[in-house]
Amino acid sequence: MIAAQGLELHDAQLTGVEVRPTAREVAVSVRAFVGVSPNTRTKLTLLFKGVKQFTQNMDFLAMEDHSSAGNINYWSPALQAGTTYIYLVDGVIVVEHESIAIT
């Protein structure tokens, strides 16, 4: 498992968002540069648990246009309970949660 504070999402690719309202979970799938292979993206899932609020706003055409270069600008994760912001090339994902796990 990867720690949120150690994960850089600049130039990562958003590949999916799964909302699980009855479980109060949101799973965000990304491909990000991690570890010792700086030129290879790794598939990761950001699993938000105990979700209280979720907002997503994005321009699908802009996301598609910037996918190969990376359509995530950066993120500001809440390291414990709180609100995490994932800033996209043209949009944002906001999750208020109790915890986050990265696998």
Side-chain angles (χ1 to χ4, degrees), residues 21-76:
T22 57
R24 292 183 51 215
E25 294 180 345
V26 173
V28 178
S29 301
V30 301
R31 293 180 55 79
F33 297 110
V34 294
V36 294
S37 298
N39 297 324
T40 304
R41 288 185 175 101
T42 302
K43 279 176 75 169
L44 299 172
T45 300
L46 315 175
L47 180 59
F48 298 94
K49 295 182 178 184
V51 174
K52 297 175 184 174
Q53 296 283 329
F54 168 77
T55 304
Q56 178 177 321
N57 183 359
M58 71 174 68
D59 179 323
F60 276 68
L61 295 177
M63 294 294 287
E64 180 183 33
D65 287 346
H66 292 89
S67 181
S68 64
N71 51 25
I72 298 176
N73 285 333
Y74 66 100
W75 78 322
S76 177

